[in-house]
């Protein structure tokens, strides 16, 4: 039997997984108890959070979509350049045509965006007031995130990528471009340097970054290739005992190695997708299009089409949430193949040994590049590979967000079939080159935010980073005795435009949660839901004062970390702010 035959046979090995995904949706209610509170300026009845569905999966099973909201707005950031790459400015709405699956759509709104080239951080929080607002201005910013991927990148490629990034920053010391530095690590997303315009700060942060052995590097090339497409093998093919003993032994070793590799791959996919979701939620409150330069060694699973998703049902649900979060936050991803940044090509390619002798990894490497290219097109970015021109990739990402058009249209609710919706944006100018996201995935999760209700709240409560989809300002309003504990009062304020749907009779459905933790354990919890409609005569005051929620936490003396969560149940947008608290 040939090496290729052995690889093909053992690709069908039966595997059993324990996913252990912390975000899996359950039917049990939220933990903790609910305390009565003040409804604030809305003055509507309070309701307990509805029980979420038993489980969310990414499989639609041919079912028709059930729209939760009256309208679903599709937003499309569009970059338009001429043949030389220069941005085409001052185009009109009439110059554009938007097609969904080949059918023309009525453009609901049109705007040319010229972002502010500077980033204005929100004022520092006082000792009593805290906010998740990342910027004090509502105008779009030209924002770039440099994302280092330690989970999917070989160790040697990580080192060379860091050197290339430091070199790039050293050559751009006068840059005024706001940039943040983040990393995907084995423990999740890590912010290495928040948004700033001083390359020296970013360089200092980069120099402190250490390498991390990617999980896949502990497995053979054979096993990496066998599980690369994310499919779950379905049966155990017996080994031909008439084969030479060394081949039989190698086959048994390969079988066990592949089982472990597949389990590790599932964890790697989860880690990557959760980091993407955290990043998207943290960026969602910054106005405008965001460019994320993702320096990676590969996509965590084989993405041969826009509808490819991981095999595990819970991972598919997470994948769908990531795609929706990227679209909502206007995130465009620019993958940079870290293997192309190697200073010595000797170390390029897949690491690990083979049980069967030399293995041609060309097809495996090409499929990895194809996955990066597909993902870039899905989000409206560009993939860079087989090149050391990191500066070119960064400059391209910056330029793409320096001028663009934002088009919107309403999703046709009569088309209730789930699946991928292909987008095509056409411009009447003959010399125009147009780049926009290739489409979007329409599933029950996308049109019914209630399906991911509990998963969203649990994710926000567990995340070490604040979400900015809903803007929150919180301040403490006093402490009063409550038996052996203290009653700590607070006020949460949210801009009315973040919560009230004026296009649907001023409807609102918003959930407020406050959770106090001490040494990683929950020490206090309150939560309520406000839903109803705002009277038209009250709308001006709401816009001026915001939506106000007052309540209190009963806590014993000690130090706490308190998370305030606000979820707009109409859209699924979520905001959170993490606040330190000492109770004396």
């Amino acid at each position: 039997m040939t090496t290729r035959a052995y690889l093909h046979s053992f690709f069908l090995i039966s595997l059993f997984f324990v996913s252990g995904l912390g975000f899996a949706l359950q039917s049990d209610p939220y933990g903790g108890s609910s305390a009565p509170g003040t409804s604030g300026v809305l003055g509507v009845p309070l309701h307990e959070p509805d029980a979420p569905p038993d489980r969310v999966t990414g499989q639609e099973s041919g079912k028709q979509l059930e729209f939760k909201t009256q309208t679903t707005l599709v937003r499309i950031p569009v970059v338009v350049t001429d043949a030389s790459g220069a941005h085409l400015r001052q185009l009109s709405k009439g110059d554009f045509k938007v097609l969904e699956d080949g059918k023309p759509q009525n453009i609901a709104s049109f705007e040319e965006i010229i972002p502010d080239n500077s980033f204005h951080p929100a004022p520092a929080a006082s000792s009593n007031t805290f906010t998740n607002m990342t910027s004090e201005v509502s105008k779009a910013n030209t924002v770039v995130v440099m994302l280092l991927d330690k989970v999917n990148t070989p160790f040697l490629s990580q080192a060379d990528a860091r050197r290339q990034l430091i070199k790039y920053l050293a050559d751009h010391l006068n840059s005024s471009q706001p940039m943040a530095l983040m990393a995907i690590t084995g423990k999740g997303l890590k912010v290495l340097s928040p948004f700033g315009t001083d390359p020296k700060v970013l360089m200092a942060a980069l120099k402190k970054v250490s390498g991390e052995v990617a999980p896949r590097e502990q497995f053979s090339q054979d096993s990496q290739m066998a599980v690369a497409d994310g499919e779950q093998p379905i049966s155990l093919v017996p080994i031909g005992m008439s084969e030479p003993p060394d081949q039989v032994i190698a086959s048994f070793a390969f079988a066990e190695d592949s089982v472990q590799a597949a389990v590790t791959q599932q964890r790697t996919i989860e880690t990557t997708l959760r980091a993407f979701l955290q990043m998207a939620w943290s960026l969602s409150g910054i106005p405008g299009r965001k460019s994320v330069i993702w320096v990676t060694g590969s996509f965590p699973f084989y993405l041969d089409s826009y509808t490819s998703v991981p095999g595990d049902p819970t991972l598919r649900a997470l994948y769908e949430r990531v795609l929706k979060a990227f679209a909502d936050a206007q995130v465009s991803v620019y993958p940079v193949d870290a293997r192309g940044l190697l200073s010595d090509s000797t170390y390029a390619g897949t690491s690990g040994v083979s049980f069967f002798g030399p293995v041609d990894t060309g097809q495996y490497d090409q499929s990895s590049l194809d996955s990066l290219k597909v993902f870039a097109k899905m989000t409206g970015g560009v993939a860079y590979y087989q090149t050391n021109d990191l500066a070119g990739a960064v400059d391209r990402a910056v330029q793409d967000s320096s001028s663009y058009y934002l088009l919107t249209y309403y999703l046709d609710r009569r088309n209730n079939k789930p699946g991928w919706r292909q987008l095509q944006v056409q411009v009447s100018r003959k010399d125009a080159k147009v780049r926009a996201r290739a489409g979007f995935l329409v599933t029950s999760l996308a049109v019914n935010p209630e399906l991911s209700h509990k998963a969203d709240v649990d994710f926000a409560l567990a995340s070490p980073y604040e979400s900015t989809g809903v803007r929150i300002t919180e301040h403490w309003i006093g402490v009063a005795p409550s038996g052996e504990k203290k009653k700590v009062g607070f006020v949460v304020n949210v801009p009315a435009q973040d919560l009230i749907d004026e296009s649907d009779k001023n409807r609102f459905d918003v959930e407020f949660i406050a959770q106090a933790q001490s040494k990683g354990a929950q020490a206090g919890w309150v939560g309520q839901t406000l839903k109803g409609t705002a009277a038209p005569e009250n709308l001006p005051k709401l816009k001026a004062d915001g939506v106000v929620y007052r309540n209190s936490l009963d806590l014993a003396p000690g130090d706490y970390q308190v998370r305030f969560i606000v979820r707009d149940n109409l859209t699924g947008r979520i905001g959170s702010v993490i606040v330190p608290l000492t109770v004396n």
Side-chain angles (χ1 to χ4, degrees):
M1 184 180 292
T2 64
T3 298
R4 181 179 295 275
Y6 272 104
L7 291 176
H8 177 72
S9 296
F10 280 90
F11 177 71
L12 299 177
I13 295 172
S14 177
L15 303 178
F16 299 94
F17 299 97
V18 178
S19 61
L21 302 181
F23 74 95
L25 304 184
Q26 305 294 330
S27 58
D28 58 319
Y30 301 142
S33 58
S34 177
T38 304
S39 62
V41 297
L42 291 177
V44 297
L46 301 179
H47 303 272
E48 289 298 318
D50 296 331
D54 289 341
R55 184 174 177 83
V56 170
T57 70
Q59 291 179 313
E60 300 294 338
S61 302
K63 296 181 179 179
Q64 294 180 336
L65 299 171
E66 183 178 350
F67 290 85
K68 178 69 174 180
T69 57
Q70 295 297 317
T71 58
T72 301
L73 194 65
V74 180
R75 293 178 174 85
I76 316 172
V78 183
V79 178
V80 185
T81 62
D82 60 20
S84 67
H87 284 236
L88 293 178
R89 301 280 299 278
Q90 298 181 342
L91 298 177
S92 66
K93 178 180 177 181
D95 292 320
F96 288 83
K97 180 184 292 185
V98 176
L99 296 92
E100 180 190 299
D101 289 338
K103 297 180 180 179
Q105 304 295 313
N106 294 322
I107 299 177
S109 65
F110 169 85
E111 184 180 5
E112 182 178 7
I113 307 292
I114 311 296
D116 190 347
N117 288 329
S118 58
F119 185 79
H120 305 280
S126 69
S127 59
N128 199 45
T129 302
F130 302 85
T131 182
N132 67 343
M133 297 183 187
T134 55
S135 175
E136 64 178 2
V137 296
S138 59
K139 185 177 179 180
N141 292 271
T142 307
V143 172
V144 173
V145 175
M146 191 73 70
L147 181 64
L148 300 179
D149 188 347
K150 297 184 179 183
V151 173
N152 301 290
T153 307
F155 181 82
L156 291 175
S157 297
Q158 294 176 36
D160 275 275
R162 289 195 301 273
R163 284 193 287 269
Q164 290 285 341
L165 288 174
I166 291 173
K167 182 178 182 299
Y168 168 78
L169 293 170
D171 295 337
H172 293 75
L173 289 177
N174 295 323
S175 173
S176 61
Q177 171 60 48
M179 184 178 293
L181 183 64
M182 303 183 186
I184 302 177
T185 73
K187 296 182 179 180
L189 184 70
K190 184 176 182 180
V191 177
L192 304 175
S193 181
F195 282 106
T197 58
D198 187 352
K200 293 181 180 179
V201 175
L202 294 176
M203 290 171 61
L206 270 173
K207 291 177 180 178
K208 295 179 181 179
V209 176
S210 59
E212 185 175 317
V213 177
R216 73 178 190 183
E217 291 188 276
Q218 60 185 301
F219 303 106
S220 70
Q221 292 178 334
D222 309 322
S223 299
Q224 293 181 42
M225 294 166 61
V227 303
D229 65 357
E231 294 292 335
Q232 303 305 313
I234 58 175
S235 63
L236 179 63
V237 177
I239 300 172
M241 301 306 293
S242 62
E243 299 296 333
D246 59 334
Q247 289 281 13
V248 174
I249 294 172
S251 297
F252 273 114
F254 168 64
E256 183 169 350
D257 198 58
S258 296
V259 170
Q260 296 299 322
V263 173
T264 300
Q265 187 203 36
Q266 294 289 296
R267 294 171 180 168
T268 300
I269 293 172
E270 181 197 2
T271 299
T272 305
L273 293 179
R274 289 173 69 87
F276 278 160
L277 189 58
Q278 284 181 329
M279 180 184 65
W281 279 11
S282 69
L283 297 175
S284 58
I286 302 175
R289 184 181 187 273
K290 297 91 181 175
S291 296
V292 174
I293 301 171
W294 178 30
V295 183
T296 183
S298 66
F299 204 74
F301 57 90
Y302 183 42
L303 194 66
D304 61 345
S305 70
Y306 298 128
T307 56
S308 295
V309 292
D312 182 88
T314 313
L315 286 181
R316 286 199 293 271
L318 179 56
Y319 176 74
E320 292 175 15
R321 291 168 66 206
V322 167
L323 291 184
K324 183 178 185 300
F326 275 1
D328 291 344
Q330 299 183 45
V331 170
S332 294
V333 181
Y334 295 74
V336 177
D337 182 15
R339 295 168 297 182
L341 299 176
L342 286 169
S343 56
D344 187 345
S345 60
T346 304
Y347 300 104
T350 306
S351 61
V353 297
S354 170
F355 292 112
F356 304 101
V359 175
D360 182 9
T361 62
Q363 185 176 358
Y364 169 74
D365 294 339
Q366 184 58 48
S367 67
S368 176
L369 295 179
D370 290 342
S371 297
L372 294 179
K373 289 186 283 187
V374 169
F375 192 67
K377 290 180 180 179
M378 290 175 71
T379 63
V382 178
Y384 290 86
Y385 48 92
Q386 297 175 351
T387 177
N388 276 328
D389 186 18
L390 179 64
V394 176
D395 290 341
R396 175 68 174 271
V398 171
Q399 286 301 315
D400 279 359
S401 289
S402 67
S403 169
Y404 60 95
Y405 299 88
L406 183 62
L407 282 62
T408 69
Y409 72 91
Y410 289 99
L411 194 67
D412 185 0
R413 291 165 50 86
R414 294 170 297 181
N415 182 2
N416 57 4
K417 293 182 179 180
W420 178 259
R421 304 285 177 86
Q422 183 177 0
L423 283 177
Q424 185 179 5
V425 180
Q426 299 176 348
V427 176
S428 58
R429 289 273 298 266
K430 291 183 178 180
D431 61 337
K433 291 190 175 182
V434 181
R435 186 166 62 262
R437 56 191 176 108
F440 55 101
L441 196 60
V442 179
T443 64
S444 293
L445 281 174
V447 300
N448 188 353
E450 189 59 30
L451 292 179
S452 61
H453 190 150
K454 186 175 187 299
D456 291 345
V457 173
D458 288 347
F459 193 83
L461 288 172
S463 175
Y465 303 109
E466 296 175 341
S467 302
T468 61
V470 177
R471 293 169 290 175
I472 302 173
T473 300
E474 182 274 339
H475 64 269
W476 304 108
I477 55 174
V479 180
S482 180
E484 296 181 354
K485 297 184 178 181
K486 299 291 182 68
K487 187 178 292 292
V488 184
F490 63 83
V491 173
V492 173
N493 186 284
V494 179
Q497 55 268 35
D498 283 12
L499 301 177
I500 297 177
D501 186 356
E502 295 186 58
S503 66
D504 188 16
K505 302 177 182 179
N506 297 334
R507 192 160 66 104
F508 59 88
D509 184 349
V510 55
E511 181 175 8
F512 294 89
I513 292 176
Q515 182 200 61
Q517 289 188 348
S518 176
K519 298 179 181 179
Q522 179 174 293
W525 186 96
V526 292
Q528 294 171 338
T529 296
L530 306 176
K531 59 196 309 183
T533 58
E537 60 270 20
N538 293 334
L539 201 56
K541 181 173 176 57
L542 283 171
K543 289 184 176 180
D545 299 340
V547 177
V548 179
Y549 171 68
R550 296 179 177 87
N551 211 324
S552 61
L553 288 162
D554 287 346
L555 300 170
D559 295 324
Y560 300 91
Q561 186 181 71
V562 184
R563 281 179 169 83
F564 293 92
I565 310 293
V566 179
R567 185 179 191 269
D568 178 12
N569 295 330
L570 297 179
T571 64
R573 290 183 297 106
I574 201 162
S576 64
V577 61
I578 303 174
V579 178
L581 173 66
T582 298
V583 180
N584 296 316

